[in-house]
Every structure is written in C-alpha cells, then in structure tokens.
Amino acid sequence: MSNVLIVAEHGAGAIRKATLHALAAGQEIARRTGGQVHAALLGKGLGPLAADLAAYGVEVHVADAPVLERPLAEAFAPVLADLAKAIGATHVGAAATAFGKDVLPRVAARLEAGMATEVLGFGGDGANVTFRRPMWAGNVLAEVEIATAVKVFTVRTTEFAPAQRAAAPGAVHAVAVSIDPAALRTRHAGFREVKSERPELTEARVVVAGGRGTKGDFAPIEALADALGAAVGASRAAVDAGWVPNDWQVGQTGKVVAPELYVAAGISGAIQHLAGMKGSKVIVAVNKDPDAPIFQFADYGLVADLFQALPALTAKVKAEK
Amino acid sequence: MALKILVTAKRVEDPESKIRVRPDGAGIVTEGVNYKLNPFDEIAVEEALRLKERHGGEVVVVSIGVDKSQTELRAALAMGADRAILVRHDGPLDPAVVSAMLQKIVEAEKPDLVLMGKQSIDDDQNQAGQYLAERLRWPQATFASKEASLESEAEQKKDPGVVLGADGRSLTVVREVDGGVETLVLALPAVVTTDLRLNKPRFASLPGIMKAKKKPLQELAAAALGVDLAPKVVVKRLSEPPARKGGVKVADVEELWKKLHEEAKAL
C-alpha cells in the first residue's frame, strides 16, 4: 500500500478551495506511486461536507466530534497520525495554509516522518518521489527527497489546478475519536474574522503594490486595486515607514505572492521585495527612476510618476469594463 | 511569577544578500554573503525580553549551527538575553532533527515557554516549533501576532503581545490564521512561534553590546545530545528559478493597457 492522505479544510459550511488544490497534488503523487488518494475531514457537525468531499472521487475519513470543533493542532495531530497509520499512508499532505502549516509538522513528528513545506511540484516515481520546493524565499528551488517511510508535505495551492469532481464518489468512513477534551492544554478563546472587500493577498489574481515612491499616499494604489478587484501590497520600506499595515508587506520577511498580474508602483525593487513577488506571471513596474532594479524583472515597465500613471490606468480599466 | 524562556536564534543569510546557487547545485555561493540573526527569531527574542521585563525570569537563547553562530547568540545577548547555548553542528539543519536536539535542551533547561521564529528565512520550512511541541506533547501557538498595530501606544511601551495569565500558568496568544485572527489560551509549558506583526525588535544598545561579551555562552557538540543527526529531508539539488526575461518599456499608460490586454491577456 502506498496511499496518499490529504487533510481537508472547511469553513462556513463548505470545503475550502485550498483543499481542492491539495487533492490535485495528492492525485499526482498517487499516479506516481500507484496508490489511492484518501481525504481526512475533521470537525464537529460536519453533515454534508463528507459527501461534498467524496464527490471528488476520494475515500473520505470523517472524524466528527465536539473536541475537534476548532482546528487545534494538539487535538488534530493524534487523530490524523492514527488515521495515516490505519490506512497505510506513505504520503500525508495538505494545502500550505496557516492550518496546514500549523498541524502537519505535528503529524509528521508523530509519524517519525520528514516533511517538505510549500511544495511546488513532484518528480520521480514510486517510493522515490521527489519534492520541488522554494528556499530563501523562492530565490532558490530545491529538489528534495524525504528519507523516512512516511513523507509529509504541504503544497502551494497556486501551483496545482483544483481537483475535478469524479464520475463516481468515493466511500465515506467514520473515524472513532478518543481524544479526552480535559487532557487538552490548548483552549480556543476567540476568532475575529478579518473582513476585507479586497481578496486575500496570497490568493489574489491581481496585486497592486506601492513602495517608497508613494510617499505615504496609497490612494492611487488602492483605487487601481479596487478597479481591478485586486489585493493591495507594499514594500518593506512603506511598511517600516508606518504608512500601511504590516500584513500588506510583500517580500522575503512578509508575504510571498504569485498572482497572474503584479503591479509595482514606486517600488525600486530591493532583493527583499523581489523575493516575495518574482513568481508572479506578469509584472508591471511604474517608477520615476529609469534605473530602478525593478525594471529588470518587470515584463512591462513604465517610467512615469505613479501619481499620474496610476489614476490614468484606473480610468482606463473602468472605461474598458 | 517569573518565567524561564528558551528562545531559538538561528544564523541565516542576510535577507538583503543576493543568494546564488553554486554551479554544481550542491549549495549556495557563500562568498560575499552576510549573516545575521533570523528575523523571526529576533522577534521571538524581543517578545521574551518583554515578558521578562514584565514578569521577571530568565531568557536563554539557543542556536544550533556552526561556530560562527556565536555572533548571532551574542547579538541576542546584546539585546538583553541572559545567557546562551550553542549546539555546534556543521551540516544540514532539518527541522525534524533540530526539534529532536531542542527537545534535549528543553529537557535539561526545563523552561516554562519556548519562543521561536515561525520559520528561518533560509530553508523556509516553518516546522521546527510544531515538531518540538509534538515531541514534548506541549500545546502550541504558531504565527503569534497581536491586535494592536506596531504603531500603537502598547507597542511604544513595549507591552508583550503574548499575555501571561494571572495564575502565571497560562498564556494568551493571538495568532494570524486563514481569514482572521484567532485567540488561543495555552497551559504552560508551551511552544509559541512568532510572526512579523508581533513586535518591533529593539536595537542592541552600546552598553548592551559590551555586557553581552561577558554573558555566559555554553558550547556543546551536537553529537553529545544523543539524537540521530541524519537529515530526514535530503536536498538533492538546488537550482535558480528561471530568470525573468528582460522586460520591455512602454511609452505611456495607453500602451501599457494595450500590452496587458492584448499581449499578456492579464487584464
């Protein structure tokens, strides 16, 4: 047996999109190893979610218990590790979300397994499947082998097309949960949804980012972003200056993004920043300085004052809609 | 209620350095590369110092790596940590192995709290804290952050972002998760990994730097810890991502729009 176990995520009564990308990665491993893809669904009151997941043609293992209401790594890890053993999983994976990154290493520790984070693709066959992953914020790509019997991984969702519904749904199995709630030393004490009219930075199809050149005025950046339905990003210089929130920072020490289109306005292109966005499909740079390093990375460069160019582009976008 | 806090301090390539892969793909070019304390660990050191300043206790920094990691340990000592431990290890640092080594240190030091950067900016694995928590069967809070902004008064006053309970035996941690902000209460001892928004690390003062030279720095060999040092994740080959081909300059917004619309089909 060389089964693949993909850990599903859900929220607001639906399977998260990220999970479909992880399932696709699982299917690719299964093709290479000759195994079957299974999915683990943990939570409380899961109702129809198991069938929703099984529709993708994978065997679904459902652990439905009050103690699993919140995705606490301390509670999820033993359930997932036991399940992985029970189904003879050689590969255990999830999407490289906050959830996946939080829980999967604990599962790996339980299984005495090595782990690869943020996997971009696979190579090789059978037991020798290799994992391609970024290091140094994507400045380096590494081909890694996991030397343990069980291999654990998370995948960057933008690198895998989502799984498709299958003609025949997979079977659904119930998993017994024996976690004692009183023994848990982690307690969930609240969740505040961060609502934004804009898409999440790491998931956005388009990102418009501003840097030092904005001189602290992000209005043209935000206007273009809203016209495009884009997320707003910023260089470290803009964040350090206190102009915009820290979680807007794109770069090695901020967020790594890979949208279809990245518009960098008033950003010179420090290594730190480039590391966080050079995986973008199309890069546009708008900068007054014709020698700014960003132009060496941009597919389209416009030497111009962003305070003139961006409003003009915003107007054009709105006019063409 | 004094807290004993163990903090990790990894030596990493300066994020401002240009990273190049060696022609043989077996490693990166290290000539001309500067090294520094992993930025996420720096945030962990800062948080530990704030907790100590508020509640008393001891901050012990630990690094696993080459002899030169002493520099990063001294940097943490200069910020205000009390003493340092260097586990000498010249070779790949795999989170599964690192966490096994840290487990030994934790068992010897018996801290109330382990604070670690959420990831080191070389391997970007984001695993060691979670592995360690599971090995110890301790609760964890990854991606520790806070609600107050880094421009807030609380931040100016250097309030800790993670909050010790009145009983001194629990810790409230706000963490950045998918779609929002989660609050966890952990029973100590626990492992907390730090995200960017938790705090702004202080700069070492000149007296701090002078004092750091005299603070205790204990060294031991990795082999002395009695853990299996063989990496679980083996890097076969490194390569550089395909270089972006030099772009074209466009004359004006009109041409930019046209290119994006018709050529790149991005709009």
Side-chain angles (χ1 to χ4, degrees):
Chain A
M1 277 198 295
S2 61
N3 288 325
V4 183
L5 179 64
I6 298 297
V7 184
E9 287 174 62
H10 55 92
I15 301 295
R16 280 195 206 281
K17 244 172 68 186
T19 295
L20 305 185
H21 297 273
L23 281 179
Q27 285 164 343
E28 186 179 337
I29 293 189
R31 276 196 297 278
R32 290 171 182 271
T33 61
Q36 295 289 320
V37 180
H38 295 242
L41 181 63
L42 279 63
K44 176 193 155 191
L46 295 166
L49 289 184
D52 291 352
L53 195 53
Y56 292 89
V58 295
E59 270 192 57
V60 178
H61 303 266
V62 184
D64 196 325
V67 70
L68 301 176
E69 182 178 7
R70 299 289 175 175
L72 303 177
E74 189 191 6
F76 272 42
V79 176
L80 291 167
D82 288 350
L83 175 60
K85 283 180 203 158
I87 66 162
T90 52
H91 295 79
V92 180
T97 55
F99 165 84
K101 288 178 174 178
D102 184 52
V103 174
L104 271 277
R106 280 193 90 124
V107 178
R110 285 236 163 202
L111 297 170
E112 296 290 329
M115 176 169 170
T117 298
E118 203 107 21
V119 169
L120 309 171
F122 307 103
D125 289 304
N128 299 320
V129 166
T130 58
F131 302 79
R132 192 170 70 252
R133 61 175 303 272
M135 292 169 72
W136 288 278
N139 283 303
V140 176
L141 297 179
E143 194 83 23
V144 307
E145 220 169 63
I146 302 180
T148 49
V150 180
K151 301 157 204 325
V152 178
F153 63 94
T154 57
V155 296
R156 185 175 285 180
T157 53
T158 51
E159 299 295 315
F160 297 89
Q164 300 296 314
R165 287 201 172 80
V172 175
H173 311 279
V175 176
V177 178
S178 59
I179 307 281
D180 174 11
L184 282 186
R185 295 171 58 226
T186 317
R187 184 167 63 80
H188 173 88
F191 178 75
R192 184 175 62 78
E193 198 180 344
V194 175
K195 280 207 181 101
S196 171
E197 300 299 308
R198 301 197 181 105
E200 216 274 306
L201 195 48
T202 53
E203 286 173 5
R205 203 187 67 80
V206 181
V207 173
V208 183
R212 210 188 298 271
T214 63
K215 300 184 176 73
D217 180 4
F218 262 60
I221 310 284
E222 298 191 45
L224 178 60
D226 291 340
L228 291 168
V232 178
S235 71
R236 182 167 186 169
V239 169
D240 283 352
W243 295 339
V244 293
N246 279 52
D247 58 352
W248 286 14
Q249 188 189 326
V250 171
Q252 181 161 30
T253 53
K255 292 191 166 131
V256 177
V257 302
E260 308 258 318
L261 173 63
Y262 189 93
V263 180
I267 292 177
S268 64
I271 289 164
Q272 216 281 127
H273 186 76
L274 295 174
M277 46 63 87
K278 66 184 193 186
S280 308
K281 295 224 162 54
V282 177
I283 296 174
V284 170
V286 179
N287 204 300
K288 270 201 296 200
D289 174 9
D291 298 323
I294 190 84
F295 286 124
Q296 291 161 26
F297 288 81
D299 300 285
Y300 303 108
L302 175 60
V303 180
D305 183 348
L306 74 91
F307 289 97
Q308 272 142 34
L310 260 53
L313 187 55
T314 305
K316 188 79 191 155
V317 169
K318 283 182 173 165
E320 296 285 335
K321 258 186 189 169
Chain B
M1 170 78 207
L3 277 179
K4 179 166 177 179
I5 308 171
L6 189 74
V7 192
T8 54
K10 190 180 183 184
R11 175 183 174 84
V12 298
E13 288 75 20
D14 187 325
E16 300 297 329
S17 295
K18 171 88 183 127
I19 304 295
R20 286 191 184 81
V21 174
R22 270 166 33 194
D24 64 2
I28 60 163
V29 177
T30 52
E31 287 82 37
V33 172
N34 295 320
Y35 288 82
K36 61 172 290 185
L37 177 57
N38 175 37
F40 290 105
D41 287 341
E42 203 174 5
I43 293 168
V45 171
E46 174 66 35
E47 198 61 21
L49 295 175
R50 292 181 186 192
L51 284 166
K52 184 195 153 179
E53 282 153 12
R54 177 66 55 93
H55 305 287
E58 186 185 21
V59 175
V60 182
V61 282
V62 56
S63 193
I64 300 170
V66 295
D67 284 348
K68 283 182 176 165
S69 306
Q70 285 193 21
T71 312
E72 284 66 45
L73 286 171
R74 292 283 176 209
L77 293 172
M79 285 172 73
D82 298 294
R83 62 188 170 88
I85 301 169
L86 171 60
V87 180
R88 283 195 312 269
H89 179 67
D90 193 357
L93 289 167
D94 171 327
V97 178
V98 164
S99 59
M101 291 194 236
L102 288 175
Q103 182 184 9
K104 296 291 179 182
I105 303 287
V106 168
E107 285 165 0
E109 291 286 336
K110 298 184 176 56
D112 301 296
L113 173 64
V114 178
L115 271 168
M116 303 171 63
K118 72 165 180 179
Q119 70 193 68
S120 58
I121 60 156
D122 45 7
D123 290 353
D124 287 333
Q125 283 272 51
N126 194 331
Q127 298 169 5
Q130 297 91 308
Y131 263 99
L132 176 64
E134 186 61 36
R135 288 185 190 284
L136 295 164
R137 299 290 193 267
W138 284 8
Q140 77 184 33
T142 50
F143 320 132
S145 184
K146 68 178 167 197
E147 294 274 9
S149 91
L150 292 184
E151 310 307 319
S152 68
E153 203 179 313
E155 174 63 23
Q156 307 299 329
K157 281 165 43 198
K158 301 213 179 297
D159 284 347
V162 300
V163 177
L164 187 67
D167 59 356
R169 298 310 308 160
S170 68
L171 201 65
T172 301
V173 184
V174 169
R175 48 192 301 268
E176 287 181 20
V177 297
D178 307 306
V181 177
E182 182 184 50
T183 305
L184 293 181
V185 179
L186 311 177
L188 294 177
V191 176
V192 172
T193 76
T194 54
D195 216 323
L196 273 184
R197 283 167 47 77
L198 182 59
N199 63 46
K200 266 192 193 160
R202 68 195 64 189
F203 293 105
S205 64
L206 192 57
I209 293 167
M210 299 311 289
K211 261 197 234 165
K213 292 180 180 164
K214 291 183 191 125
K215 287 180 179 173
L217 193 157
Q218 176 198 349
E219 289 188 52
L220 63 152
L225 291 173
V227 303
D228 178 9
L229 296 177
K232 305 288 181 273
V233 175
V234 182
V235 175
K236 306 301 286 181
R237 203 175 66 89
L238 298 181
S239 60
E240 284 178 13
R244 296 195 72 94
K245 56 178 187 307
V248 297
K249 290 256 172 75
V250 293
D252 50 30
V253 168
E254 199 63 33
E255 192 190 347
L256 176 60
W257 165 264
K258 239 187 169 148
K259 292 273 190 195
L260 287 175
H261 193 61
E262 287 163 18
E263 192 177 273
K265 304 209 184 305
L267 282 182

